[in-house]
Amino acid sequence: MSSQLAIAKEDLNKYGFLNIDVDPTLDLVAEIERLKKEKNAIILAHYYQESEIQDIADYIGDSLGLSQKAAETDAEIIVFAGVHFMAETAKMLSPEKKVLLPDLKAGCSLADSCPPHLFRKFKEKYPDHVVISYINCTAELKTLTDICCTSSNAVHVVNSVPKDKGIIFAPDKNLGAYLIKETGRDMILWNGTCMVHEIFSHEKITKLMLRHPDAKFIAHPECEAHLLEKADFIGSTSGLLRFTQEDPAEKFIVATEAGILHQMELKSPNKTFIPAPPNNTCACNDCPHMKRNTMEKLYLAMEHELPEIHLDDWIIEQGVASIDRMLEISAAAGL
Ligand code: 13P
Ligand code: SF4
């Protein structure tokens, strides 16, 4: 083993990734393709990944599609181009497989907003309630959850709970408020948010809508209620993508992480997509966690099979039922 690799392995926890120089002349696309074949590995990428990573992935999707793929793949190694909770979900669904995440520090503000020890105490106040957790939560939180959901299937999951049962919904209060409106169910909400979807600028979006009266405004349900009220369509990332393909409009203002625009532009090359701007000096909204993954880190993770996701057996045993239940409800709904 080279001394640089040995040091990088020792420093893995410090950096979250293998901090090794990559030869800038290396053809990373060709190298990653070679490693996929040699190692029987599959790359699963979320729509919020940078375009180059989306282009080399075997499957690109939203949180629901990615969990369905992780449950059914026969590859030996799952390389997750996404964030930590997504790779944990893949490990829970396929515990016998090696699951790699190019950067362990690719976290999620929603998952961080709901520490399991605090949630356990909160849950004790409502002992008869069913707990529905957005899949954007830690593996440990899933052990305290009855049913997981994603933005694609959340309405179906909430409607699957008998009407006489109370519901706690965690951790996203914006998605929770949207679901209360959509389903008419009165749910107890945990007070968490996504840092990306809560900083859209109402003022700048209103100006954009005035400047582009022919554009449809479409938004992810993690956005705040005042924005969702303005939206022509609300949906998960895959729902938004589908809408832009099927709707006759030729211009869309898109309020979610800007990575999704890559697939929208590929699928509808003649349409115009305008990223909704956040409340800062940026023109579009990037998730800093999703964007920690790079082609170099992806290549290094596959070459050295590190960093790998490890979970305690009790977490897998007690947490996977909430994901299995979600997948059953989705399959019954034809999602
Ligand atoms: P979906 O993948 O369900 O659209 O959720 C978006 C998201 O924020 C993932 O982190
Ligand atoms: Fe988490 Fe929001 Fe980033 Fe998705 S976009 S990973 S919910 S911080």
Side-chain angles (χ1 to χ4, degrees):
M1 198 187 336
S2 77
S3 61
Q4 203 189 12
L5 176 59
I7 294 167
K9 283 185 176 178
E10 268 175 37
D11 284 348
L12 196 55
N13 284 337
K14 182 164 134 198
Y15 294 107
F17 60 93
L18 285 173
N19 192 14
I20 299 173
D21 296 332
V22 176
D23 175 357
T25 64
L26 206 61
D27 180 346
L28 289 178
V29 172
E31 285 299 307
I32 290 170
E33 289 293 357
R34 171 184 66 78
L35 289 164
K36 274 204 270 190
K37 285 196 197 87
E38 269 178 31
K39 301 193 178 214
N40 186 18
I42 184 172
I43 301 178
L44 306 182
H46 191 269
Y47 288 126
Y48 295 165
Q49 292 297 291
E50 63 174 72
S51 314
E52 266 184 305
I53 295 182
Q54 292 189 34
D55 292 345
I56 197 143
D58 298 285
Y59 176 82
I60 319 156
D62 69 354
S63 304
L64 175 62
L66 289 165
S67 351
Q68 288 166 331
K69 272 279 163 222
E72 73 189 28
T73 180
D74 51 16
E76 283 168 69
I77 298 180
I78 298 174
V79 190
F80 221 107
V83 291
H84 201 271
F85 76 81
M86 295 178 170
E88 280 184 339
T89 303
K91 184 69 186 174
M92 289 166 97
L93 288 166
S94 295
E96 71 296 346
K97 296 192 197 305
K98 190 175 265 191
V99 177
L100 305 174
L101 182 67
D103 188 330
L104 290 175
K105 292 195 179 177
C108 169
S109 68
L110 260 176
D112 291 348
S113 72
C114 197
H117 68 287
L118 296 182
F119 185 75
R120 185 175 277 115
K121 285 215 166 68
F122 177 77
K123 182 181 149 151
E124 279 167 8
K125 290 196 269 177
Y126 310 98
D128 299 328
H129 282 50
V130 172
V131 176
I132 301 180
S133 296
Y134 195 29
I135 202 159
N136 301 35
C137 64
T138 61
E140 194 177 338
L141 202 88
K142 290 180 175 81
T143 68
L144 303 170
T145 296
D146 296 300
I147 323 174
C148 281
C149 73
T150 74
S151 50
S152 283
N153 57 23
V155 168
H156 293 276
V157 169
V158 172
N159 285 335
S160 76
V161 177
K163 291 250 176 330
D164 59 336
K165 276 274 179 197
I167 299 174
I168 300 175
F169 187 83
D172 187 357
K173 68 171 181 188
N174 290 330
L175 176 62
Y178 168 73
L179 290 169
I180 289 174
K181 223 171 140 200
E182 286 295 296
T183 63
R185 295 296 288 266
D186 184 21
M187 305 193 290
I188 311 279
L189 304 182
W190 181 264
N191 188 14
T193 54
C194 157
M195 62 188 287
V196 177
H197 289 87
E198 73 169 352
I199 64 155
F200 283 112
S201 162
H202 197 110
E203 194 187 330
K204 289 187 199 166
I205 291 171
T206 308
K207 282 187 185 154
L208 265 182
M209 288 169 82
L210 288 171
R211 211 178 311 141
H212 302 278
D214 52 334
K216 285 211 169 144
F217 175 58
I218 59 174
H220 195 281
E222 286 174 28
C223 293
E224 291 172 305
H226 63 86
L227 275 189
L228 296 181
E229 275 161 24
K230 293 169 87 83
D232 295 300
F233 179 76
I234 299 167
S236 68
T237 42
S238 59
L240 296 175
L241 178 60
R242 205 175 317 115
F243 182 77
T244 59
Q245 291 171 264
E246 291 170 0
D247 192 81
E250 295 195 343
K251 211 185 257 185
F252 300 88
I253 300 168
V254 184
T256 190
E257 212 267 1
I260 186 67
L261 268 69
H262 180 55
Q263 291 304 317
M264 289 177 173
E265 282 160 356
L266 285 178
K267 298 258 193 288
S268 305
N270 297 322
K271 296 191 178 183
T272 305
F273 300 98
I274 306 165
N279 218 345
N280 56 31
T281 50
C282 300
C284 67
N285 215 346
D286 276 334
C287 172
H289 303 292
M290 286 279 182
K291 297 300 198 283
R292 284 187 73 95
N293 294 319
T294 61
M295 287 290 276
E296 285 78 9
K297 289 180 190 169
L298 184 61
Y299 160 71
L300 287 169
M302 294 180 74
E303 172 77 7
H304 302 292
E305 300 184 18
L306 282 172
E308 186 182 350
I309 297 290
H310 294 285
L311 288 172
D312 290 344
D313 290 345
W314 74 268
I315 290 196
I316 298 180
E317 280 155 23
Q318 293 179 33
V320 75
S322 64
I323 311 172
D324 285 340
R325 184 77 196 106
M326 172 191 86
L327 293 176
E328 280 163 25
I329 293 167
S330 304
L335 298 173

